[in-house]
Amino acid sequence: NCRKTSSRGRSVVFCPQWDQQPKMAGSSVFRPGLFNHKVAIVTGGGTGIGKAIAAELLELGCNVVISSRKAERLEAAAQEMRQQIPPSSPACVIPLPCNIRSEDEVKGLVSSVLQQFGRIDFLVNNGGGQFSSPVEHMSYKGWKAVIDTNLTGTFTCCKEVYTAWMKEHGGVIVNIIADMWKGFPGMAHTGAARSAVDNLTKSLAIEWAVSGVRVNAVAPGTIFSKTAMENYKELGPNLFKMSVPFSPAKRLGVPEEISSAVCFLLSPAASYISGATLRIDAGQSLYRSMWEIPNHSAWPKAPDGENQEALKDLLKPQSKL
């Protein structure tokens, strides 16, 4: 199906399939060995987006420490990833359980990585969690758990990795946040936390520039993974199905579409990028909200005058203007 075309006097070969091939799992767009002998910590690295990031880093030669609270899930993910590492690769994956809500556990994680590898080049703060609930039904305990994980946990990991290694040696941090640009009705706790991490990213990029540390964020749109669907239990399938019309792409994203962007921000190709947030959402953040507001007459009446009368004639509303 390839054909020759002419452009400005030059002969150009065009093959339609070049633009149609999706990025498949286990086939990074980056060159093999790009991250040989580097060391990365990926929190939440046993499932979903974190697992995809860890797998692509391994494919590129990076030593990866994956961390989360659930040791069994981490070990299973590590075993699966090890089977994909070529025998000639210097890369390895190590599962280390850690609850990022605990400062002591984060300190222990960073200390263990430095003892084993002697360096930490990359930190990917992907660990987090939330649940679906309107604010009026959200308990203080539920609110605090999400803030402690998604915001304070990210802060703690950043600070500990910086003070223990990156302050003297440089490095790169990528924080995974969310599509919270229009608020996050139904999950206000994570919207507040992720917005705060977006601002934290900008602050750290300035404060830590003198140490040669780049800090950026990635804001995924609705990304489907089996574990994410399972986490929302009976709501999961419907939540993801309902999300499709709200994406300009009219499909959901997958974790491998996030991992390649993270690898780019970690790579030398992004050497002049810091304090940025990359939205990976097919334009979802520019589109409409999933939160439906029913017709109502709860708002106060608009001021009287010729404009209100003209508007009434136009809309013939049943509710107050």
Side-chain angles (χ1 to χ4, degrees):
N1 293 327
C2 298
R3 65 179 186 272
K4 279 190 176 183
T5 62
S6 179
S7 176
R8 296 182 181 180
R10 293 179 296 176
S11 180
V12 178
V13 176
F14 173 72
C15 292
Q17 62 267 33
W18 291 350
D19 291 331
Q20 297 171 3
Q21 294 299 324
K23 177 178 176 285
M24 304 299 289
S27 59
S28 177
V29 299
F30 300 99
R31 66 170 174 82
L34 176 64
F35 295 137
N36 276 2
H37 311 300
K38 300 290 187 181
V39 176
I41 296 175
V42 180
T43 64
T47 58
I49 291 173
K51 183 179 177 183
I53 293 168
E56 187 159 359
L57 286 170
L58 282 167
E59 186 181 347
L60 298 173
C62 191
N63 297 304
V64 181
V65 174
I66 56 174
S67 183
S68 72
R69 288 182 300 163
K70 298 180 179 178
E72 290 182 5
R73 182 175 281 183
L74 274 181
E75 185 57 49
Q79 290 286 8
E80 181 183 334
M81 292 180 199
R82 287 177 186 133
Q83 295 174 9
Q84 305 299 320
I85 301 173
S88 59
S89 173
C92 70
V93 56
I94 304 293
L96 289 178
C98 174
N99 182 353
I100 60 174
R101 292 190 213 171
S102 166
E103 183 180 20
D104 288 341
E105 289 194 35
V106 172
K107 287 179 180 288
L109 169 67
V110 172
S111 176
S112 295
V113 175
L114 289 175
Q115 286 176 11
Q116 183 145 356
F117 295 103
R119 60 190 297 152
I120 301 172
D121 300 281
F122 308 138
L123 168 64
V124 180
N125 284 305
N126 172 74
Q130 53 275 320
F131 56 90
S132 180
S133 173
V135 168
E136 65 176 306
H137 301 309
M138 195 179 292
S139 68
Y140 172 79
K141 181 179 178 181
W143 167 272
K144 189 173 185 300
V146 172
I147 298 297
D148 285 351
T149 303
N150 296 355
L151 173 56
T152 308
T154 296
F155 159 79
T156 305
C157 290
C158 286
K159 183 174 181 287
E160 188 58 29
V161 166
Y162 177 75
T163 56
W165 180 260
M166 290 187 180
K167 183 176 181 178
E168 299 298 328
H169 304 91
V172 190
I173 297 172
V174 176
N175 298 320
I176 310 299
I177 54 173
D179 174 21
M180 73 296 161
W181 311 105
K182 297 188 290 287
F184 215 138
M187 294 192 197
H189 43 20
T190 198
R194 308 295 190 173
S195 296
V197 172
D198 179 60
N199 194 271
L200 177 65
T201 297
K202 294 172 172 60
S203 299
L204 298 183
I206 299 303
E207 290 191 17
W208 295 351
V210 69
S211 294
V213 176
R214 294 190 296 106
V215 188
N216 293 294
V218 162
T222 305
I223 304 298
F224 175 84
S225 72
K226 291 194 298 181
T227 51
M229 185 170 66
E230 291 164 0
N231 286 342
Y232 292 111
K233 299 177 182 176
E234 67 276 1
L235 292 175
N238 283 335
L239 278 174
F240 282 109
K241 287 177 184 178
M242 289 168 52
S243 299
V244 175
F246 296 89
S247 169
K250 302 303 177 184
R251 72 164 174 85
L252 302 180
V254 293
E256 290 75 20
E257 292 178 294
I258 306 303
S259 65
S260 57
V262 172
C263 287
F264 161 70
L265 289 172
L266 296 174
S267 79
S271 59
Y272 207 58
I273 301 176
S274 195
T277 296
L278 179 58
R279 302 186 189 192
I280 308 174
D281 61 8
Q284 176 181 318
S285 56
L286 305 174
Y287 206 37
R288 51 197 178 124
S289 173
M290 287 182 61
W291 186 268
E292 291 292 334
I293 301 176
N295 290 332
H296 64 84
S297 57
W299 278 50
K301 184 175 178 291
D304 290 332
E306 64 178 14
N307 294 312
Q308 187 204 36
E309 293 304 317
L311 189 54
K312 281 182 179 179
D313 289 341
L314 174 66
L315 300 179
K316 295 180 173 53
Q318 299 300 310
S319 62
K320 302 171 190 174
L321 289 177

